[in-house]
Amino acid sequence: MLLLLKSQAVVNNLEDAHEQIDNAISTALKESKPVYISISCNLPSIPHPTFSRHPVPFFLSPRLSNQKNLEAAVEAAAAFLNKAVKPVLVGGPKLRVAKASKTFAELADACGYPFAVMPSAKGLVPEHHSRFIGTYWGAVSTPFCAEIVESADAYLFAGPIFNDYSSVGYSLLLKKEKAIIVQPDRVVIGHGPAFGCVVMKDFLHALATRLKKNTAAYENYRRIFVPQGEPLASEPGEPLRVNILFKHIQQMLSANSAVIAETGDSWFNCQKLKLPEGCGYEFQMQYGSIGCKQNPNLSEIQVTAQEVSTMIRWGQNSIIFLINNGGYTIEVEIHDGPYNVIKNWNYTGLVEAFHNGEGKCYTAKVRTEEELKEAIEESLGPKKDCLCFIEVIVHKDDTSKELLEWGSRVSAANSRPPNPQ
Ligand SMILES: Cc1ncc(C[n+]2csc(CCOP(=O)(O)OP(=O)(O)O)c2C)c(N)n1
């Protein structure tokens, strides 16, 4: 896995260990980015006066905006947006590191613009808000969202990351001259000017007081919007379809749930879930690494299949749906080859082996809607204290329509001829 480290400390003597460790930890806290601390294995047991058993007072200087730059950025952005006819807002994944989710929601509330979310920012903006218009990612956006965003005459993106995946193989129909891009410490308006040393939270907060209320884009959305249909009902005994599975997952969500969307077709199916207020959402499109589990105290940790045994050991009562479609389906849609067919395992058998009679664990293999319903009822009822693992067997070609569309576009981008040297 590729980790973008913000700093690293290599501690091989005691004299500067406290400085190096404090520096690394404060960098991690300030930047909300990983750091790496390597400590020689012969050091930890040796006492040193700077290491105490009790917490040491510690002060982190807060990030501050340059006031002049902030005022200039707000002034320019307000002039840009106040002259627009149908502006929109879009929340991006860096709202998280900028700790600006709440301020973004306050801005959206104040200005009356409709707001969308980029796929990797799902969970960072309030979806229950009446002017939330869905996920924006070009051709695979939720219905009516891309049309409103791309036809707007001005859009503000707060904390976006436009990579090959979030830009659907670089196929977004956005124009730089219509965009304000707000990054955690920088604002760029159209092709310029750019304002540095401006903290996103300060900027969004100040902008909210300067924008004229404009609901034009929201009203356009509302006029054209038609609610989504339901998947076709399944016949008794019919092999289970993924869209039926997600209909049931949608019904399970509440303020007490958090959805963790794994890399694969689950990305696309989970993206379409409507999150009730308070429902968490975790997912990352930066590395697309396979396997992660949220820990309420730690934010997020990376795990492998074997870590499911650790979940059982620590008594976690998550519900895992493993969609057994017999292959690496997302890879099939990007670039197919014989390596995308994987040897089918007995996945429930694997979890039972991890369980090995110790801890609380429930497994089920389901092939029809009836079996799925029963497994969900068990997981929420008698087995609610168990780690519940439901293997859902589906047809190998059963994918979301969004994966098919996205896969074709990413595939086209991946097979561009190399740049001339
Ligand atoms: C550690 C790691 N190995 C390989 C990959 C490449 N990769 C991305 S998605 C994927 C397949 C995912 O398959 P699955 O979890 O079965 O989901 P599906 O696409 O079938 O829904 C692979 C191999 C990766 N992103 N990370």
Side-chain angles (χ1 to χ4, degrees):
M1 188 184 88
L2 171 71
L3 252 189
L4 290 182
L5 295 175
K6 194 65 197 173
S7 128
Q8 67 167 331
V10 180
V11 179
N12 48 25
N13 73 77
L14 277 185
E15 299 317 311
D16 65 355
H18 59 292
E19 285 164 275
Q20 289 220 51
I21 294 171
D22 280 6
N23 274 337
I25 293 175
S26 37
T27 306
L29 292 173
K30 273 197 296 208
E31 307 282 340
S32 298
K33 289 216 167 138
V35 297
Y36 189 89
I37 303 177
S38 142
I39 300 180
S40 300
C41 59
N42 56 349
L43 292 180
S45 55
I46 309 175
H48 187 275
T50 56
F51 293 123
S52 106
R53 285 214 164 268
H54 306 289
V56 180
F58 192 66
F59 177 73
L60 270 185
S61 50
R63 263 173 189 266
L64 297 176
S65 293
N66 173 312
Q67 282 306 312
K68 280 263 175 292
N69 298 13
L70 173 64
E71 279 161 31
V74 171
E75 175 93 9
F80 186 94
L81 293 169
N82 284 337
K83 72 174 192 310
V85 177
K86 40 183 184 173
V88 300
L89 302 175
V90 184
K94 288 194 188 166
L95 281 174
R96 185 196 291 254
V97 283
K99 301 184 175 72
S101 288
K102 205 165 146 257
T103 322
F104 178 81
E106 285 163 4
L107 168 66
D109 214 34
C111 68
Y113 304 0
F115 62 100
V117 67
M118 292 183 75
S120 40
K122 191 173 171 78
L124 299 177
V125 309
E127 299 196 0
H128 54 277
H129 192 289
S130 61
R131 283 196 307 278
F132 174 70
I133 59 168
T135 303
Y136 173 66
W137 51 337
V140 294
S141 301
T142 50
F144 305 96
C145 180
E147 293 78 2
I148 292 297
V149 172
E150 291 175 352
S151 69
D153 53 346
Y155 18 76
L156 180 148
F157 279 82
I161 298 179
F162 295 108
N163 59 20
D164 52 346
Y165 284 4
S166 67
S167 72
V168 195
Y170 310 108
S171 69
L172 302 182
L173 298 177
L174 296 175
K175 293 207 171 97
K176 205 163 177 207
E177 58 271 24
K178 295 204 275 179
I180 296 183
I181 306 287
V182 187
Q183 290 300 3
D185 48 14
R186 189 176 174 79
V187 176
V188 183
I189 298 179
H191 289 286
F195 301 90
C197 305
V198 173
V199 174
M200 184 192 288
K201 216 157 64 168
D202 298 343
F203 173 79
L204 299 179
H205 181 71
L207 189 62
T209 63
R210 298 288 300 279
L211 293 185
K212 286 192 291 196
K213 193 147 186 152
N214 184 344
T215 55
Y218 174 67
E219 284 155 24
N220 289 345
Y221 171 80
R222 203 167 174 282
R223 261 189 293 271
I224 63 171
F225 182 75
V226 179
Q228 275 241 274
E230 287 277 300
L232 295 177
S234 38
E235 307 285 335
E238 181 191 329
L240 188 56
R241 276 174 277 127
V242 172
N243 55 22
I244 297 281
L245 166 66
F246 275 86
K247 187 179 97 176
H248 287 279
I249 292 179
Q250 176 71 65
Q251 288 162 3
M252 293 169 76
L253 300 184
S254 73
N256 299 322
S257 4
V259 177
I260 303 177
E262 270 285 321
T263 308
D265 193 31
S266 298
W267 269 1
F268 301 87
N269 287 300
C270 290
Q271 199 57 241
K272 294 186 280 185
L273 292 170
K274 293 186 182 61
L275 303 182
E277 185 169 6
C279 177
Y281 195 88
E282 297 294 334
F283 136 97
Q284 62 85 5
M285 281 209 132
Q286 195 63 17
Y287 319 117
S289 42
I290 316 182
C292 70
K293 167 81 186 91
Q294 194 191 23
N295 175 319
N297 303 319
L298 285 177
S299 84
E300 201 170 336
I301 52 174
Q302 183 67 35
V303 296
T304 62
Q306 202 211 44
E307 286 297 313
V308 173
S309 70
T310 310
M311 296 179 197
I312 300 173
R313 183 172 159 223
W314 290 103
Q316 295 207 351
N317 65 345
S318 315
I319 303 173
I320 301 176
F321 290 93
L322 180 131
I323 303 175
N324 184 347
N325 52 17
Y328 286 154
T329 303
I330 188 171
E331 297 287 340
V332 171
E333 305 310 334
I334 302 174
H335 190 279
D336 202 6
Y339 43 81
N340 286 327
V341 180
I342 47 173
K343 170 78 187 74
N344 222 342
W345 291 355
N346 176 1
Y347 293 99
T348 50
L350 196 64
V351 174
E352 277 152 23
F354 294 152
H355 176 223
N356 196 21
E358 282 177 278
K360 293 184 177 162
C361 176
Y362 164 73
T363 66
K365 230 184 246 284
V366 303
R367 292 182 171 81
T368 61
E369 184 175 16
E370 295 82 15
E371 289 171 1
L372 171 71
K373 274 172 132 163
E374 202 182 305
I376 292 176
E377 271 163 31
E378 281 290 302
S379 306
L380 297 175
K383 307 290 182 195
K384 70 177 179 345
D385 296 329
C386 299
L387 180 83
C388 296
F389 183 89
I390 305 175
E391 179 180 345
V392 184
I393 309 222
V394 300
H395 191 277
K396 75 173 184 35
D397 294 332
D398 190 351
T399 66
S400 61
K401 95 188 218 321
E402 289 76 12
L403 170 57
L404 297 180
E405 176 75 46
W406 177 91
S408 316
R409 288 169 184 265
V410 169
S411 167
N414 286 358
S415 52
R416 285 165 302 168
N419 289 336
Q421 296 300 306

